[in-house]
Amino acid sequence: MMLAPHALFLRRWLLQEGTRLFRRKASGSMVLTATLRLPSHANIERDLVRTSSVEYFSTSCVNCAKSRELKGKRDISEKKLTRYFVDHRRVSLTGGKGGKGASTFHSEPRKEFGGPDGGNGGDGGTIIIKVDQQIKSLSLVEPLYRGMDGESGGSKNCYGRNAAHTYIRVPLGTIVKEDGTVVADLSKHGQEYVAAFGGTGGKGNRFFLSNENRAPTKATPGEHGQERVLHLELRTMAHAGMVGFPNAGKSSLLRAISNAKPAVAAYPFTTLNPHVGIVQYQDHEQVAVADIPGIIQGAHRNRGLGISFLRHIERCRFLLFVLDLSGPDPWAQLQDLRFELEQYETGLSKRPQAIVGNKIDLPEARANLSALQSRVPQRIIPVSALTGHNVEELILHLRELYDGYLQTEESAGGQPVRW
């Protein structure tokens, strides 16, 4: 059925006017009622179209689609959101392979013996360990790295492109070990250490051109990159390390003095990985405090969580012995902790330290605090991580230990670690 010319004109004109109006309204789907002005030559009844309805008119396919509700994101537990501090990493490195050389001959009209023109391959990428003072942990270091391969050579004496280097960014004070031997001590910002060299690119047949051999066909493949297994360790994990038995309230205390959010629960061994919190002062100094997972009796024999966490304590400049005042014999806890540290490394328990009595808000803690003070001559700071009682005194004492650490390092000619 053929439509009249004026009907086709009216349909086209309605579509243009509707599109213009909806673009002005910037609306996707609506009901529009408007008075449309028709041209004078349109041969239709004006009264029929004076009030014209365009229902659910849309200019895009997305707006025509059915309305769909956004799916809500699943709630992630605080324990999964927690970022762990990593102070040791085993890394396997493989340098990039060199590109292979090309074996080609020059081809050109009216030039019968063009000769070899195969180019050399590019060198493989080198893996470099670089110090970045903005990085504080080895958590971003992957366990496996492989350098990029070089490009192969081409005809017309085209050499392959050398592969780009791969950089591994590590914090200040990173020690690189291979088979137990220190091969690099990275202590300056921007310092680099070449961990694995890339392979050399292969030679094209142009390289083997000589007076004796005018048409060589030999081309060599690229060499494989260097393969190494290195251990990265941080010399200083944090300024202060919290040492205590499981469920002594170390994680709760770290929450009270810093913005760190380690997992807290009413069962022992809640913390299985070390956490580092930053205590900030008004003069913009920052003291890093590490929450070391709890140790038990016999930890120096690799019992419980074992030697791996004693190694974390070794990388702290001064110690905070956190005792549970609600438990029986808190002085025995202090003796056992010092014994485990001394058995692991001689002199570790004699580093600058502070004794913190936690859970002072519990009823039985008052009596244990008096008994502890009578048996231990050192200063004891009673705090409550739950209520925040006496936390300010602990923060001030932390600053005293930190200032003493700075003076000791500067007098010895060393460079103290600042967070």
Side-chain angles (χ1 to χ4, degrees), residues 297-314:
Q297 295 182 1
H300 67 280
R301 300 175 183 174
N302 209 17
R303 185 178 300 175
L305 297 180
I307 296 177
S308 61
F309 297 117
L310 289 173
R311 188 183 297 114
H312 297 317
I313 302 172
E314 181 185 6

Side-chain angles (χ1 to χ4, degrees), residues 147-360:
M148 301 176 64
D149 296 337
E151 290 187 0
S152 301
S155 59
K156 300 181 180 179
N157 295 320
C158 291
Y159 283 35
R161 179 182 298 175
N162 295 333
H165 299 323
T166 301
Y167 288 90
I168 304 175
R169 303 191 179 277
V170 296
L172 281 168
T174 301
I175 299 176
V176 184
K177 293 184 178 180
E178 185 177 17
D179 298 332
T181 304
V182 178
V183 295
D185 188 356
L186 308 177
S187 57
K188 295 181 181 180
H189 175 66
Q191 186 176 355
E192 297 181 355
Y193 172 72
V194 179
F197 288 95
T200 306
K203 303 298 182 182
N205 62 340
R206 173 71 181 182
F207 177 82
F208 299 99
L209 178 64
S210 62
N211 293 331
E212 291 78 14
N213 188 359
R214 303 303 300 173
T217 59
K218 179 181 178 181
T220 60
E223 297 181 356
H224 291 278
Q226 186 181 10
E227 296 183 4
R228 298 179 72 180
V229 177
L230 301 178
H231 292 266
L232 306 180
E233 298 180 3
L234 291 183
R235 185 190 303 108
T236 300
M237 174 182 177
H239 298 123
M242 291 185 178
V243 185
F245 285 104
N247 211 19
K250 300 184 295 298
S251 299
S252 300
L253 188 58
L254 185 63
R255 279 172 167 254
I257 65 177
S258 69
N259 291 330
K261 301 297 180 184
V264 175
Y267 53 85
F269 297 107
T270 307
T271 302
L272 299 179
N273 295 281
H275 298 265
V276 174
I278 305 299
V279 181
Q280 299 183 359
Y281 295 90
Q282 293 183 354
D283 58 350
H284 306 291
E285 284 287 352
Q286 296 180 342
V287 178
V289 182
D291 174 21
I292 309 296
I295 61 177
I296 63 174
Q297 295 182 1
H300 67 280
R301 300 175 183 174
N302 209 17
R303 185 178 300 175
L305 297 180
I307 296 177
S308 61
F309 297 117
L310 289 173
R311 188 183 297 114
H312 297 317
I313 302 172
E314 181 185 6
R315 295 174 185 141
C316 298
R317 299 302 96 189
F318 45 91
L319 308 177
L320 297 178
F321 288 101
V322 182
L323 307 179
D324 185 3
L325 294 180
S326 64
D329 302 336
W331 53 89
Q333 300 178 26
L334 180 60
Q335 294 177 358
D336 293 339
L337 290 173
R338 287 176 173 174
F339 176 77
E340 293 298 330
L341 298 184
E342 199 66 25
Q343 292 298 314
Y344 173 73
E345 180 182 343
T346 304
L348 183 58
S349 64
K350 298 179 181 179
R351 287 186 179 181
Q353 58 191 253
I355 302 176
V356 182
N358 197 12
K359 304 182 182 180
I360 193 61

Side-chain angles (χ1 to χ4, degrees), residues 71-77 80-81:
K71 295 182 179 180
K73 294 183 178 180
R74 295 181 179 178
D75 294 334
I76 302 177
S77 64
K80 291 184 178 180
L81 288 174

Side-chain angles (χ1 to χ4, degrees), residues 92-111:
S92 297
L93 308 172
T94 303
K97 182 181 178 181
K100 61 181 180 181
S103 178
T104 59
F105 288 88
H106 184 70
S107 178
E108 187 178 345
R110 296 180 300 277
K111 196 171 184 179

